[in-house]
């Protein structure tokens, strides 16, 4: 049985969402920027999607800018704020997605100064550390809503309150949070927020940046007047329609979906932690409901992932973007794990269609495979009564 | 990403284990990625008569260890010392390029275990 447990990497496109997108690929193909009926039809669909996206964030439609996805939204928010300020200091965290971290490093090379806040052993950034890092020349705070590897949900509202109090721009990468966390950009003091449709059963290649009315950041794409003359490029009507339909569905079903994922995650966590020499990474409570991140001591995470793949089970080691590199996850290292424990971490992220039966199968197979790999591991030896850590 | 032969050796690695009183032993690590390997050999009439190992690492590291142990078993020490990471990769039918370094550890462990045997038995390489 094939089991997909990597919903934080991407989700499938919901059939109902796809059917809403379909006409905009074919019959309703008009360019949303053109004034005649074909264009007006596309523009109306985009406007409707903008309203749905705004509603999901408690924002106004005029504050939603469609992009090609989370990475572009992060790049635009951070580089746009930096360029508008010209120089200054940026506060971020050490556990951000690379779309934020690499952008900050790029700006450091351009002369901006960046503080990378530490996290505690659960992957949490403290609001106090944000306050302590503030400088008179701080121009931007960018801290993620929820971490992609361990699922830790950050104290976004507290950080937002500090940013508001000091009059500093606050951006949050909410790519993993949308569809799982209630978001109210006004109440949470968020000035900019990145999201990506394919993380909540929408299409790939489309996302959005929320920019609070009145916030001025530099333009990112040049070459057209789309998105209020801020983000040039022919409007991706089918993608945007898909994003709008998916975010509306995600908001409507959030409570039920979270309960479903949380119940399965509890079952999975309990089963996996019964395997000897395992531990949970991340926060016990302030956590995305469908995230289970476990270290299997003495096992290289990629080996376990490869073996599970042979059994039809899709999981991830740390983060999908890290598996091409040979360094242990920057998130787990920032949490203080030993390199060995970080390398033994495997992430299971649940979704809508997972079942109890699947979870039980995954527990059984993971348990069997972990024992097999440990037979080869120099960190373990066969002892009376089973395998023991050396 | 991995071919069938690599996956077969990964799933069912050959010659896994340890030897109580090895004639040669070495523990090596990959600086690049933190993998480790323990290699045990028994030597009879200048040939590797038994070989066991334990490996901590990814699929490529485990498969490389397995096939290298097969390649070395029964070989003269000189022949076994000549086994290179390229030989190991070729014998596996290829590895993804970024995984080449994983096979170096098996080469190093084999060479180091033979060197350990030679130093104990004062039989320097000819």
């Amino acid at each position: 049985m094939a089991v997909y447990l990597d919903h934080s990497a991407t989700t499938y496109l919901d059939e109902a969402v796809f059917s809403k997108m379909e006409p905009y690929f074919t019959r309703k193909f008009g360019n949303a920027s053109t004034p005649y009926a074909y264009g007006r039809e596309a523009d109306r669909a985009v406007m409707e999607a903008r309203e749905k996206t705004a509603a999901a964030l408690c924002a106004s439609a005029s504050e939603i800018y469609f992009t090609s996805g989370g990475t572009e939204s992060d790049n635009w928010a951070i580089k746009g704020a930096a360029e508008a300020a010209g120089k200054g200091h940026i506060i971020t965290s050490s556990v951000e997605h690379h779309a934020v971290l690499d952008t900050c490093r790029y700006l450091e090379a351009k002369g901006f100064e960046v503080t990378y806040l530490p996290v505690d052993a659960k992957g949490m950034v403290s609001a106090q550390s944000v306050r302590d890092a503030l400088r008179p020349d701080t121009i931007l705070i960018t801290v993620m809503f929820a971490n992609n590897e361990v699922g830790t949900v950050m104290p976004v509202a507290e950080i937002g309150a500090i940013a508001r109090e000091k009059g500093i721009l606050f951006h949050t990468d909410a790519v993993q949070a949308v569809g799982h966390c209630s978001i109210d950009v006004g109440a949470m003091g968020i000035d900019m927020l990145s999201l990506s449709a394919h993380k909540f059963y929408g299409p790939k290649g489309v996302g959005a940046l929320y920019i609070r009315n009145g916030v001025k950041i530099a333009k990112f794409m040049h070459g057209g007047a789309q998105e209020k003359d801020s983000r040039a490029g022919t409007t991706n009507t089918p993608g945007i329609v898909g994003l709008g339909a998916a975010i509306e569905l995600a908001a409507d079903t959030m409570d039920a979906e979270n309960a479903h994922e949380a119940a399965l995650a509890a079952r999975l966590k309990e089963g996996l932690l019964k395997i000897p020499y395992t531990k949970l990474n991340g926060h016990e409570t302030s956590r995305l409901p469908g995230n289970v991140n476990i270290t299997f001591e003495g096992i290289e995470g990629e080996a376990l992932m490869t073996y599970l793949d042979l059994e039809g089970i899709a999981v991830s080691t740390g983060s999908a973007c890290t598996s091409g590199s040979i360094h242990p996850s920057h998130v787990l290292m920032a949490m203080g794990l030993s390199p060995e424990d970080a390398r033994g971490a495997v992430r299971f992220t649940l979704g809508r269609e997972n079942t109890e039966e699947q979870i039980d199968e995954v527990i059984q197979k993971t348990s069997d495979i972990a024992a097999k790999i440990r037979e080869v591991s120099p960190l373990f030896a066969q002892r009376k009564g089973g395998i023991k850590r050396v | 990403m991995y071919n069938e032969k690599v996956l077969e050796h990964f799933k069912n690695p050959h010659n896994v284990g340890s030897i109580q009183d090895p004639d040669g032993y070495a523990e090596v690590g990959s600086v690049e990625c933190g993998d480790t390997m323990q290699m045990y050999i028994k030597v009879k009439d200048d040939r590797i008569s038994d070989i066991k190992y334990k490996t901590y690492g990814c699929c490529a590291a485990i498969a490389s260890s397995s096939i290298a142990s097969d390649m070395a078993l029964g070989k003269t020490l000189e022949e076994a010392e000549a086994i290179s990471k390229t030989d190991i990769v070729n014998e596996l039918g290829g590895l993804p390029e970024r995984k080449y370094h994983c096979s170096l550890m098996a080469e190093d462990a084999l060479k180091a275990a033979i060197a350990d045997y030679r130093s104990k038995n004062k039989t320097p390489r000819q």
Side-chain angles (χ1 to χ4, degrees):
Chain A
M1 176 165 58
V3 184
Y4 185 76
L5 290 184
D6 201 14
H7 292 85
S8 279
T10 194
T11 56
Y12 64 86
L13 176 60
D14 182 273
E15 290 285 346
V17 171
F18 182 51
S19 67
K20 284 183 179 145
M21 294 168 65
E22 244 179 326
Y24 295 93
F25 283 112
T26 52
R27 286 175 296 109
K28 303 181 177 183
F29 63 88
N31 185 328
S33 301
T34 54
Y36 41 73
Y38 293 86
R40 291 197 304 273
E41 181 178 51
D43 192 48
R44 259 196 312 277
V46 169
M47 195 56 219
E48 221 174 276
R50 210 182 294 282
E51 278 158 8
K52 288 174 180 170
T53 308
L57 305 175
C58 303
S60 311
S62 61
E63 297 172 311
I64 303 299
Y65 299 80
F66 292 115
T67 67
S68 65
T71 299
E72 185 192 326
S73 295
D74 286 343
N75 268 264
W76 181 16
I78 298 167
K79 289 179 191 167
E83 202 188 315
K87 60 180 169 31
H89 171 239
I90 297 165
I91 298 172
T92 188
S93 86
S94 48
V95 298
E96 296 297 309
H97 188 277
H98 284 109
V100 168
L101 279 183
D102 291 356
T103 303
C104 287
R105 288 192 191 111
Y106 165 83
L107 289 171
E108 261 185 305
K110 296 272 177 196
F112 289 86
E113 289 183 65
V114 181
T115 298
Y116 300 90
L117 298 174
V119 292
D120 67 14
K122 311 286 183 196
M124 186 78 85
V125 172
S126 85
Q128 186 58 42
S129 75
V130 173
R131 190 181 284 282
D132 294 344
L134 288 171
R135 302 188 342 194
D137 64 341
T138 302
I139 55 164
L140 174 71
I141 299 166
T142 173
V143 173
M144 69 201 323
F145 206 112
N147 183 265
N148 47 310
E149 290 192 35
V150 293
T152 302
V153 179
M154 306 298 182
V156 175
E158 282 179 66
I159 297 170
I162 295 168
R164 207 36 80 79
E165 175 195 324
K166 302 288 179 186
I168 295 165
L169 278 184
F170 175 39
H171 165 253
T172 187
D173 173 347
V175 165
Q176 296 290 340
V178 173
H180 289 111
C181 304
S182 298
I183 299 176
D184 181 334
V185 285
M188 294 176 153
I190 298 166
D191 296 308
M192 295 187 281
L193 178 146
S194 303
L195 61 90
S196 180
H198 75 101
K199 304 291 191 184
F200 47 86
Y201 307 91
K204 291 166 184 64
V206 62
L209 180 64
Y210 155 82
I211 308 175
R212 175 187 301 289
N213 280 334
V215 167
K216 295 270 178 282
I217 64 167
K219 204 166 156 167
F220 190 54
M221 296 285 241
H222 299 79
Q226 291 88 354
E227 301 300 298
K228 293 203 290 177
D229 202 18
S230 296
R231 197 280 185 183
T234 300
T235 307
N236 172 12
T237 312
I240 290 167
V241 167
L243 191 162
I247 206 166
E248 184 180 49
L249 187 64
D252 288 350
T253 58
M254 187 159 75
D255 291 344
E257 176 58 22
N258 281 347
H260 169 70
E261 286 184 22
L264 291 182
R267 191 180 185 95
L268 179 62
K269 189 170 72 174
E270 194 194 332
L272 294 177
L273 289 175
K274 278 188 186 145
I275 299 171
Y277 307 102
T278 51
K279 48 196 168 199
L280 180 73
N281 298 314
H283 206 279
E284 294 84 358
T285 51
S286 183
R287 184 178 192 123
L288 292 175
N291 176 296
V292 178
N293 187 308
I294 304 271
T295 285
F296 297 83
E297 289 181 39
I299 294 177
E300 215 271 348
E302 196 195 305
L304 185 54
M305 177 193 77
T306 304
Y307 215 128
L308 285 168
D309 179 32
L310 293 170
E311 300 286 339
I313 298 166
V315 300
S316 140
T317 52
S319 140
C321 303
T322 317
S323 50
S325 81
I326 48 179
H327 303 291
S329 143
H330 70 284
V331 173
L332 299 175
M333 294 303 285
M335 287 161 60
L337 270 72
S338 67
E340 192 196 283
D341 278 353
R343 294 189 59 209
V346 174
R347 181 186 75 176
F348 307 78
T349 44
L350 308 174
R352 270 185 201 165
E353 295 199 341
N354 289 133
T355 61
E356 284 189 356
E357 191 192 0
Q358 288 181 334
I359 296 307
D360 292 345
E361 184 193 329
V362 168
I363 293 166
Q364 187 55 52
K365 290 222 163 113
T366 305
S367 175
D368 295 347
I369 292 168
K372 280 196 80 169
I373 297 174
R374 279 173 176 166
E375 278 177 29
V376 191
S377 174
L379 306 170
F380 280 83
Q382 289 287 350
R383 294 276 162 80
K384 218 173 148 184
I387 201 154
K388 288 275 181 314
R389 204 171 197 318
V390 181
Chain B
M1 169 169 146
Y2 294 115
N3 69 43
E4 284 302 318
K5 192 167 183 184
V6 173
L7 292 173
E8 188 44 44
H9 275 273
F10 167 60
K11 283 177 79 170
N12 299 298
H14 306 169
N15 309 309
V16 173
S18 56
I19 296 173
Q20 277 301 329
D21 50 343
D23 296 327
Y25 169 77
E27 178 163 353
V28 300
S30 160
V31 187
E32 239 180 301
C33 60
D35 287 356
T36 54
M37 184 171 182
Q38 296 169 344
M39 177 72 86
Y40 304 78
I41 55 168
K42 285 293 251 189
V43 179
K44 200 176 173 189
D45 301 333
D46 201 46
R47 282 182 187 274
I48 296 182
S49 58
D50 195 10
I51 184 164
K52 297 279 186 224
Y53 63 87
K54 290 267 195 140
T55 295
Y56 169 85
C58 65
C59 169
I62 292 170
S64 296
S65 306
S66 172
I67 204 141
S69 69
D70 278 353
M71 290 163 79
L73 187 62
K75 292 250 184 8
T76 66
L77 295 181
E78 206 158 321
E79 286 166 345
E81 275 171 323
I83 294 169
S84 71
K85 74 166 178 179
T86 311
D87 296 334
I88 295 168
V89 172
N90 289 341
E91 193 69 22
L92 283 171
L95 278 176
E97 208 169 320
R98 66 184 180 82
K99 290 290 182 182
Y100 274 21
H101 74 272
C102 303
S103 60
L104 177 63
M105 190 169 67
E107 177 195 327
D108 288 348
L110 190 56
K111 285 194 164 79
I114 295 171
D116 179 54
Y117 167 77
R118 288 192 191 285
S119 74
K120 283 178 188 158
N121 292 275
K122 304 201 175 8
T123 53
R125 192 174 176 182
Q126 297 297 303

